[in-house]
Structure formats: structure tokens, C-alpha cells
Amino acid sequence: MGLFFYFPPMLRFIRKYLSALYVPIVWMLLIIIAMCLPGTYIPKEEGFFLPDFDKIVHMGLFGGLVFLWCLYLAGKPMRMKRLLWGFFWFYVLSNGLGISMEYVQKYWIPGRDYDLGDIIADMIGAGIGYGMSNILLVPDRLKDSV
């Protein structure tokens, strides 16, 4: 999947259409809404079943969250050290959101429960988004500053 983003026209497309502030905000709100849905609203699919498929979904949601926030931040004029600290803080805050949403599900959302596996999947996804941000967005900034 990483090679997909190295295709220069695709990276330009992503920067052009997904680097606005509203994109990561809307993505974050959609994550919060999805994680606060009562368990009865989540469909049980009988014909299609992959074990632990929800973990893959968690990794995609939180990886996308970190990447979209870093993409927004990469478009702002700032020094490289501050940019990298911003990337790191979005990673940390995303992990905090994932952990807190599991506790919200445990104590306040009917039909939902706490799952340590979901927290681990959130952290892995956030780490993948953080890594992709550093691999894909930082080299472009280095080229622009030279």
C-alpha cells in the first residue's frame, strides 16, 4: 500500500484535496460517532465473516486520522523540528482518543464493551499513520527547503 502513495500524481491529488482543515476534523467526528453507536445499531453479518475484522477497521480509522492531521500540518509553513513534533503529538493524541473511546464504550454506550485488542489496533494504526506521514510528507518538505 505504501508504494501506492509514492506514485507522484496520487500524492499531488491527496495533498490538493485532503490537506484542508475540515478533512481531519470530519474524519475524527465520524470516528467518534461510529464508536459511540449502541451495539444494537451495528449489523451482525452472517454470510461474510473475517475473524477480528474490526481490528483492521480500527487500524485504518486511526492510521487515517493521524495521516490526515499530519497532512494538514505539513501544508503549514513551519520549521522542520516543529513539524516533526506536531506529527508526534497527533500520534499521541490519536492514541489518547482510541483509549478514551474504549472507556466511553465500556461505561456509557449500551451493547458495547471494552476491548484491549481494539486499543492495540488503534495504536498500531496510529503508528502506521505516523510512519507514513514521516516517510511521505517529510521528504517533500526537505526538498522544498533546499
Side-chain angles (χ1 to χ4, degrees), residues 88-114:
F88 177 74
W89 279 110
F90 282 127
Y91 164 73
V92 170
L93 293 172
S94 177
N95 284 329
L97 176 65
I99 293 168
S100 63
M101 290 309 301
E102 283 302 312
Y103 281 101
V104 166
Q105 287 178 354
K106 180 179 181 177
Y107 292 113
W108 291 294
I109 308 297
R112 301 292 292 266
D113 58 350
Y114 173 89

Side-chain angles (χ1 to χ4, degrees), residues 22-42:
Y22 71 88
V23 175
I25 290 174
V26 168
W27 187 259
M28 185 171 58
L29 290 174
L30 288 174
I31 289 173
I32 292 169
I33 290 168
M35 294 185 116
C36 289
L37 286 175
T40 56
Y41 284 29
I42 299 172

Side-chain angles (χ1 to χ4, degrees), residues 8 11-12 17 35 43 57 75 78 80-81 83 85 92 105 115 124:
L11 204 50
R12 281 194 298 272
Y17 293 107
M35 294 185 116
V57 171
M78 63 180 64
M80 184 60 66
K81 185 176 180 177
L83 178 72
W85 269 107
V92 170
Q105 287 178 354
D115 186 0
I124 291 171

